[in-house]
Amino acid sequence: MAQAATLDDVKARDVLNCGTNTGLAGFAAPNADGVWEGFDVAVCRAVAAAVLGDPMKVNFVPTTGATRFTALASGEIDMLSRVTTWTFQRDVELKFDFVGVNYYDGQGFIVPTALGVTSAKELDGATVCIQTGTTTELNLADFFRSNGISYEPVPIETNAEGQQQYLAGTCDAYTTDSSGLAATRATFENPQDHIILPEIISKEPLGPLVRHGDSDWADIVRWSFFALVAAEEFGITSANIEELSAGTDNPEVNRILGVEGNLGAQLGLDAEWAKRAIAAEGNYGEIFAKYLGVDTPIGLERGLNAQWTEGGLQYAPPFR
C-alpha cells in the first residue's frame, strides 16, 4: 500500500509531523516561547524520542475538529494526538487505527453561575456553543432529544472561538469534553463565575491515531504510549530512569528499558527506544501531573485515568 512505511518517511524527513489542537490549555498549546507543550503534545514527543532520538524533532500541525481527519488521511501528518474520541465510524469507515486511550473523558456543560442552572436538564431552549465535526455535536443532539428538551446550536470551529462566543454571551452554555471545559475555565479571568454542570452525557475515550494500512507504524506509536503507562506502574520516572537502566531485578522493567530482550529490534528501532520515550517528559503520571493534575490551574483529578492498580482504567499490556 502507498501508505505503508511511515517509519521510513519519518526517518528520512528526520522530523515527526504530529497533528494536534489549535490551542487547548493543558493538552496542546504553544507556550510563551512558541514551544508546543501539553498532555497530547507529550505523546508526540515520546514517539519522536523513540524513533528519532530527540523529543524536539516534532513539527506540530494545528487542526480543527473539521480538518484533523483530512490531514491524517492525506499524509500531511504521521499521527494525530488531539483529544479525539475513538468511535466505530472513525475506526472503520474513516479507516484510522486508534492506538490506545490516553484520556478517558465524557462530555459536559459549562454555564455562567448567574444563569442559576444546576443541571443540564434545565437547559430547555438554551443556546449552546458547539464545535462542528465532532462527537460532541452528535451527543448534544442525542441528550436533548432523549430528555425531550430543545436547544439552539451556535456552531464554532475552534475551542478559542467557543470560549470567545461563550464569554461574549452569544450562547448560554458551552459543551465539550469535561477535561476541555476545565482547561478552558482555568484560563478565564473569573473562573468562579462559571459552573461545570454535574451531568456527563457520553463516553469519550480520547487517544492518538494513525492511518489504517501501516501496522508497523501503528505498533510504534501504540507501544511508545504504553511505555509511558507501564513506566508509571513499575515506578520508572524521569528521576530514576538512568539508575534503573543499569539493570534491575524486575525482568519487565529490564525489557522496557532495553537491558534485556530485543523488543526494539522487533519494532525496527534500537534497544533504548522506550527508555527515550519515557525520558522525554516522564511517565504517564508525571505528564498528567505536569499538565492537567490537581496542582495545575486545570486541576483535574486522575479519576478513570488512574492506574488499574489504583482503581482506574489506565493499563498497559505486558512488555514481553
Side-chain angles (χ1 to χ4, degrees), residues 65 77 225:
I77 55 177
F225 167 64

Side-chain angles (χ1 to χ4, degrees), residues 4-79:
T6 308
L7 175 61
D8 297 337
D9 294 345
V10 172
K11 282 182 165 173
R13 198 190 304 129
D14 201 33
V15 68
L16 173 71
N17 290 333
C18 193
T20 193
N21 237 296
T22 50
L24 178 61
F27 283 91
N31 65 15
D33 299 321
V35 178
W36 283 83
E37 60 181 25
F39 187 73
D40 281 337
V41 165
V43 176
C44 305
R45 296 217 185 276
V47 174
V51 174
L52 300 172
D54 183 348
M56 300 312 285
K57 286 186 174 177
V58 187
N59 169 38
F60 288 99
V61 179
T63 62
T64 66
T67 64
R68 56 187 163 173
F69 299 128
T70 314
L72 183 56
S74 69
E76 184 190 348
I77 55 177
D78 305 308
M79 60 179 286

Side-chain angles (χ1 to χ4, degrees), residues 6-316:
T6 308
L7 175 61
D8 297 337
D9 294 345
V10 172
K11 282 182 165 173
R13 198 190 304 129
D14 201 33
V15 68
L16 173 71
N17 290 333
C18 193
T20 193
N21 237 296
T22 50
L24 178 61
F27 283 91
N31 65 15
D33 299 321
V35 178
W36 283 83
E37 60 181 25
F39 187 73
D40 281 337
V41 165
V43 176
C44 305
R45 296 217 185 276
V47 174
V51 174
L52 300 172
D54 183 348
M56 300 312 285
K57 286 186 174 177
V58 187
N59 169 38
F60 288 99
V61 179
T63 62
T64 66
T67 64
R68 56 187 163 173
F69 299 128
T70 314
L72 183 56
S74 69
E76 184 190 348
I77 55 177
D78 305 308
M79 60 179 286
L80 180 65
S81 183
R82 185 206 178 279
V83 292
T84 297
T85 306
W86 189 342
T87 69
F88 181 97
Q89 190 226 359
R90 291 169 178 181
D91 196 320
V92 179
E93 188 190 359
L94 296 186
K95 305 216 175 319
F96 296 128
D97 285 338
F98 284 79
V99 300
V101 178
N102 70 330
Y103 195 96
Y104 288 92
D105 211 344
Q107 184 174 334
F109 296 87
I110 190 169
V111 297
T113 317
L115 202 62
V117 168
T118 56
S119 160
K121 292 175 182 173
E122 296 167 23
L123 290 174
D124 194 11
T127 49
V128 183
C129 280
I130 178 82
Q131 278 189 62
T132 51
T134 59
T135 54
T136 320
E137 193 175 23
L138 308 175
N139 297 332
L140 181 66
D142 286 353
F143 175 78
F144 275 82
R145 191 176 72 185
S146 61
N147 282 286
I149 53 180
S150 68
Y151 69 101
E152 192 181 317
V154 178
I156 51 156
E157 281 289 314
T158 66
N159 189 64
E161 188 192 344
Q163 183 175 325
Q164 203 180 347
Q165 298 282 18
Y166 168 74
L167 288 174
T170 311
C171 45
D172 301 313
Y174 180 33
T175 183
T176 188
D177 299 334
S178 52
S179 65
L181 294 178
T184 300
R185 184 171 72 167
T187 65
F188 290 176
E189 212 172 301
N190 300 301
Q192 68 282 358
D193 292 349
H194 303 269
I195 178 175
I196 295 174
L197 298 175
E199 285 84 5
I200 298 292
I201 67 167
S202 68
K203 284 190 299 195
E204 305 294 328
L206 310 175
L209 54 153
V210 296
R211 290 179 290 280
H212 267 197
D214 190 345
S215 299
D216 294 344
W217 177 245
D219 286 342
I220 289 170
V221 179
R222 175 180 298 114
W223 287 95
S224 296
F225 167 64
F226 280 145
L228 306 179
V229 177
E232 182 183 21
E233 179 182 346
F234 293 113
I236 306 168
T237 69
S238 51
N240 68 16
I241 193 164
E242 282 306 330
E243 184 192 333
L244 297 179
S245 297
T248 72
D249 55 9
N250 183 327
E252 183 107 353
V253 170
N254 295 344
R255 286 190 292 268
I256 291 169
L257 296 178
V259 183
E260 280 178 32
N262 65 341
L263 299 186
Q266 294 175 39
L267 286 171
L269 303 175
D270 66 0
E272 296 195 333
W273 66 280
K275 177 185 172 180
R276 288 193 301 272
I278 299 159
E281 293 215 41
N283 65 37
Y284 179 90
E286 289 178 279
I287 293 166
F288 193 103
K290 180 177 176 182
Y291 294 116
L292 302 177
V294 288
D295 294 330
T296 69
I298 293 162
L300 292 170
E301 299 278 354
R302 285 290 291 270
L304 294 177
N305 296 294
Q307 287 277 340
W308 67 286
T309 48
E310 305 287 330
L313 296 177
Q314 284 299 344
Y315 182 111

